[in-house]
Amino acid sequence: NSPNLVKKKLNKLFTRLRSIAFNGSLKAQESVKLLEEIRLFGIVECTRNLSSTECKKCLHVAVIELIDRGYQMKGGCAIYGSCYIRFELYPFYYSLS
């Protein structure tokens, strides 16, 4: 399991989740295939007091920090006052609907 592959997949996952979150709902969850039988599960969420632009900025900082330090881990999270991101190798979240 290459750290570069994990970093690439995390970037893909969080880019998609950020796009969903700051285009209205301020939260998103999804998974991407890492290897044949392994998936990365991720979630992003901003507090309701943030505008879409502020959510985008907060998530951007959180994702950069997590990817820079987290791609060698099997999971991780970054929590800020107004936004939160997390990834794991197992499904850890409930349906947003």
Side-chain angles (χ1 to χ4, degrees), residues 33-41 89:
K33 188 187 319 186
L34 177 59
L35 299 171
E36 188 60 34
E37 296 182 14
I38 300 174
R39 297 192 71 80
L40 283 171
F41 296 85
L89 293 174

Side-chain angles (χ1 to χ4, degrees), residues 9-82:
K9 294 292 185 167
L10 279 175
N11 196 27
K12 177 181 177 179
L13 174 63
F14 283 123
T15 297
R16 170 102 174 106
L17 291 174
R18 281 191 325 238
S19 176
I20 294 167
F22 62 71
N23 281 320
S25 68
L26 301 181
K27 60 184 172 182
Q29 61 191 35
E30 227 172 64
S31 67
V32 295
K33 188 187 319 186
L34 177 59
L35 299 171
E36 188 60 34
E37 296 182 14
I38 300 174
R39 297 192 71 80
L40 283 171
F41 296 85
I43 191 168
V44 301
E45 187 169 5
C46 293
T47 57
R48 296 280 172 218
N49 64 319
L50 293 183
S51 68
S52 292
T53 302
E54 292 167 328
C55 178
K56 181 178 181 177
K57 289 177 185 176
C58 188
L59 291 176
H60 179 74
V61 170
V63 167
I64 287 173
E65 179 182 314
L66 185 62
I67 288 177
D68 282 350
R69 68 176 166 85
Y71 68 89
Q72 294 179 2
M73 300 185 302
K74 295 181 180 179
C77 67
I79 302 169
Y80 289 87
S82 298

